[in-house]
Amino acid sequence: MASIHPTALVDSKAQLDSSVEIGPYSIIGANVTIGAGTKVGPHVVIEGHTTIGCDNTFFQFSSIGAAPQDKKWDGEPTRLEIGDRNTIREFCTFNTGTMQDAGVTRLGHDNWISAYVHLAHDCQVGNNTIFSNNAQLAGHVRIGDWVILSGFANVHQFCHIGAHAFVGMSTSLTQDVPPYVLLSGNPAAAHGVNVEGLKRRGFTRPQIDGIRTAYKLIYRSNLTLEEAKVALLEEEMASVDAAVQIRAMREFLSTATRGIVR
């Protein structure tokens, strides 16, 4: 049997692994599934059609799986999916999806989510991200792996942030951010490549140099985006060490739907 505090309210239909821990005064709804080793602290509400993987930790006072804050939602059984080994700190709010999108909000694996973070409906968050206190995602936002959002960063609906990007404190994003880019300010502006983060993750010097070259083609060469795509393809084909990284930046430009921060 799961370890459930006597003051917690767990619906009999909820599916909890025998190693799950539920803290005082927490509430677990009927359509919730929680995997092995996950710990839910006190005063946490987990509801909706919510699936949670293994070895997650939820700190007190979070609201997980509540209805989307979208007037178009009409009670459809949309979902929230959370992967493994995530840390979710105090007062976080994660909503389920809507039928106007995939119908599911997703948080991947090994993410560190600090206090007061909001994941709105249909957000798709990858793996190994760090969201500092009060980072806020509007609906339909996509976040790549290893992205860092500093405190009070805000992301407009439908924006896409590429892998390994770094967003500075109190930045408000209304456009897409290519992979590997470091940006901050209001209005948001690019300030180079997230070199320190890439070094920490084991990127080689030739790979980082290739990313820097791609960055210069996008941001420092007075090229239109279409011209930059052509130049990036040429650089990708000529690169021995950084072709994968350059390709990621080039392909991002082709899929950006809100334009890029530039």
Side-chain angles (χ1 to χ4, degrees):
M1 294 293 292
S3 176
I4 301 172
H5 192 275
T7 61
L9 299 177
V10 178
D11 194 286
S12 61
K13 296 179 182 178
Q15 300 180 44
L16 276 57
D17 184 86
S18 60
S19 59
V20 168
E21 298 179 17
I22 307 295
Y25 301 102
S26 286
I27 300 174
I28 309 298
N31 297 305
V32 173
T33 300
I34 304 179
T38 291
K39 298 179 181 179
V40 179
H43 297 278
V44 176
V45 177
I46 304 178
E47 56 185 312
H49 290 77
T50 297
T51 301
I52 298 169
C54 301
D55 299 315
N56 297 282
T57 302
F58 292 84
F59 283 73
Q60 53 269 26
F61 303 113
S62 286
S63 174
I64 308 298
Q69 299 176 52
D70 188 325
K71 289 185 176 180
K72 298 184 293 298
W73 186 73
D74 194 29
E76 301 93 344
T78 53
R79 311 187 313 280
L80 169 67
E81 297 177 358
I82 297 174
D84 302 331
R85 300 176 302 279
N86 297 291
T87 297
I88 294 95
R89 295 299 306 235
E90 300 84 354
F91 297 100
C92 289
T93 52
F94 300 173
N95 296 155
T96 56
T98 65
M99 298 308 293
Q100 285 70 43
D101 202 323
V104 57
T105 304
R106 290 190 179 94
L107 177 69
H109 309 302
D110 301 295
N111 298 287
W112 181 273
I113 309 297
S114 299
Y116 292 96
V117 167
H118 178 61
L119 301 187
H121 52 276
D122 303 296
C123 286
Q124 309 290 315
V125 179
N127 307 313
N128 298 106
T129 66
I130 298 174
F131 292 3
S132 297
N133 288 9
N134 286 282
Q136 308 286 303
L137 304 188
H140 315 281
V141 168
R142 292 179 292 155
I143 306 288
D145 296 343
W146 298 99
V147 167
I148 295 178
L149 299 183
S150 300
F152 294 91
N154 301 298
V155 185
H156 192 280
Q157 62 210 44
F158 294 102
C159 282
H160 180 194
I161 302 178
H164 300 278
F166 183 100
V167 180
M169 182 176 66
S170 300
T171 299
S172 291
L173 287 176
T174 59
Q175 293 180 295
D176 295 348
V177 181
Y180 315 114
V181 171
L182 185 153
L183 67 140
S184 64
N186 282 303
H191 295 287
V193 172
N194 182 19
V195 173
E196 192 59 36
L198 298 180
K199 288 180 179 177
R200 292 175 181 176
R201 293 163 206 150
F203 281 69
T204 66
R205 180 60 181 268
Q207 287 174 328
I208 294 174
D209 288 344
I211 292 168
R212 280 174 156 162
T213 298
Y215 178 89
K216 290 176 182 177
L217 290 173
I218 297 170
Y219 288 96
R220 298 287 185 263
S221 301
N222 294 319
L223 301 175
T224 67
L225 286 183
E226 290 304 316
E227 291 170 339
K229 292 176 191 177
V230 174
L232 287 169
L233 179 58
E234 294 174 354
E235 189 66 30
E236 174 190 330
M237 294 175 66
S239 176
V240 175
D241 300 294
V244 171
Q245 290 74 31
I246 297 169
R247 184 182 308 120
M249 298 182 78
R250 177 179 60 83
E251 291 178 346
F252 187 94
L253 298 185
S254 299
T255 60
T257 58
R258 295 188 54 84
I260 64 167
V261 173
R262 208 175 183 198

